[in-house]
Amino acid sequence: MSKGLFIRVLTLLALAVCCGQGAGVDGLQVLRHTREMVRHGPHPPGTEAQRKVGEYIAGQLEALGLKVDTQRFRPVTPRGRLRMTNIRGILPGPNERVLILASHYDSKLFDTFKFVGANDGASSSGLVLELARVLVQHNPTGLTLWFVFFDGEEALGEWTSADSLYGSREFVKREGDRGTLRNVGAMILLDLVGGKDLRIFREANSTPWLNKIIWDQALRSGHERIFRPSGRASPIDDDHIPFLRAGIPAVDLIDLNYAHWHKPSDTLDKLSGPNLEVVGAVVLASLPEIARQLKRK
Ligand SMILES: [Zn+2]
């Protein structure tokens, strides 16, 4: 090897280790994805903007070499029948048991102000995309991974069990009908995980052993500022509920203290790349233990 080439190889190695696009979750990359989704403006279900956000997500998953499929459906909502699409990227593992990493990618519809949902939908979707990039390089679970993006999480009117969680309810129903739901061992849901003042409490509907693995990992890594050691979040209705109802262990990592929740101020400038990176790193580091538990069960 020539001296010049040697130095170039060394530089490339150093870049790969230090500066993003490496083996760990990159908060800047999550923010880039988030920006790409938010730039389409408000994107509630059935809109052209939401179709474009979905196209972006599917394109990113395909670029990672994942098999991508979609579920299209048209549920009745208080705004009439709306076109919705769930998106899934599949990373096959040696074991056909499935672990799901999920987020919703619709923004809530508001008639009186512009709402882009930078943290409520987009940041967690960006983080799931970034986790997919890292896990494609190295999947430490041995399991099959599904990266799932739900449409229609938000209510189109007042939140009720019929007007909410359209995408996750449809997903569980379809996979149940196909007989593939029984392969799903657990699901990890991310929602509102990018705020600057991020504080996540153990959500009370979530499966205790999943909460325990994630909090043990977070506290061992010194992230108690974000993953609060004590206290519980009140039980939340979110996209993990249809899975829990189907008997699948599920956990919702969600910040219920986000000051800009469902406000026009939920914009990109309220997000923190480093906080997103912490959540991603904790989830990533928890996966081997979650996989071990699933193989035991
Ligand atoms: Zn919301």
Side-chain angles (χ1 to χ4, degrees):
M1 195 185 289
S2 74
K3 194 176 167 199
L5 181 61
F6 179 69
I7 288 172
R8 232 177 306 153
V9 168
L10 269 189
T11 312
L12 280 175
L13 276 176
L15 274 174
V17 171
C18 95
C19 311
Q21 298 296 300
V25 173
D26 178 0
L28 280 178
Q29 190 55 40
V30 179
L31 289 178
R32 270 181 225 123
H33 287 311
T34 308
R35 191 186 312 122
E36 285 303 309
M37 293 182 239
V38 163
R39 79 181 175 85
H40 295 291
H43 47 281
T47 59
E48 179 60 12
Q50 175 69 339
R51 195 187 61 73
K52 286 182 180 155
V53 174
E55 223 171 63
Y56 175 76
I57 291 170
Q60 292 297 309
L61 295 170
E62 274 160 9
L64 292 172
L66 297 175
K67 179 171 172 279
V68 178
D69 64 10
T70 54
Q71 299 177 340
R72 294 171 205 280
F73 56 108
R74 291 182 69 230
V76 176
T77 79
R79 299 295 181 115
R81 271 193 190 277
L82 292 178
R83 193 161 32 88
M84 299 191 194
T85 306
N86 291 329
I87 303 165
R88 164 173 53 187
I90 300 173
L91 178 62
N95 192 316
E96 69 167 8
R97 206 89 194 274
V98 172
L99 179 63
I100 294 179
L101 292 163
S103 164
H104 77 90
Y105 75 101
D106 56 312
S107 66
K108 183 164 168 60
L109 172 70
F110 289 101
D111 294 320
T112 50
F113 58 84
K114 181 181 169 193
F115 180 77
V116 298
N119 199 25
D120 195 355
S123 71
S124 49
S125 297
L127 182 51
V128 174
L129 281 178
E130 172 62 355
L131 283 165
R133 180 190 69 78
V134 173
L135 287 160
V136 161
Q137 292 172 36
H138 173 64
N139 174 3
T141 68
L143 304 173
T144 294
L145 301 179
W146 290 355
F147 304 96
V148 182
F149 300 81
F150 300 117
D151 203 345
E153 184 265 348
E154 302 282 6
L156 278 309
E158 285 296 309
W159 184 286
T160 65
S161 58
D163 181 23
S164 64
L165 311 181
Y166 293 96
S168 49
R169 286 189 286 130
E170 179 72 15
F171 188 92
V172 166
K173 185 180 171 305
R174 282 208 195 181
E175 294 302 315
D177 290 347
R178 289 175 61 194
T180 38
L181 196 65
R182 62 168 171 265
N183 292 343
V184 179
M187 80 97 78
I188 300 173
L189 177 65
L190 305 174
D191 199 1
L192 295 146
V193 288
K196 283 183 174 154
D197 183 28
L198 183 63
R199 279 166 295 161
I200 305 176
F201 291 86
R202 294 173 182 86
E203 189 272 331
N205 285 326
S206 297
T207 306
W209 68 263
L210 282 170
N211 264 340
K212 180 173 181 349
I213 290 174
I214 292 169
W215 258 262
D216 284 354
Q217 179 59 47
L219 301 184
R220 258 201 312 276
S221 322
H223 294 307
E224 65 277 351
R225 183 179 59 86
I226 290 175
F227 288 83
R228 307 304 292 177
S230 58
R232 289 175 113 203
S234 36
I236 293 300
D237 270 0
D238 206 343
D239 286 319
H240 61 324
I241 297 294
F243 290 84
L244 287 168
R245 287 211 182 105
I248 296 167
V251 59
D252 187 11
L253 299 180
I254 182 166
D255 176 10
L256 298 170
N257 303 294
Y258 182 55
H260 309 281
W261 179 71
H262 289 185
K263 291 184 182 164
S265 54
D266 182 6
T267 47
L268 265 185
D269 54 307
K270 310 307 184 311
L271 301 184
S272 156
N275 286 354
L276 283 158
E277 200 165 295
V278 166
V279 175
V282 167
V283 168
L284 205 56
S286 302
L287 294 183
E289 183 55 27
I290 291 171
R292 256 192 298 280
Q293 290 294 327
L294 286 181
K295 286 171 191 161
R296 210 173 289 159
K297 279 169 202 292

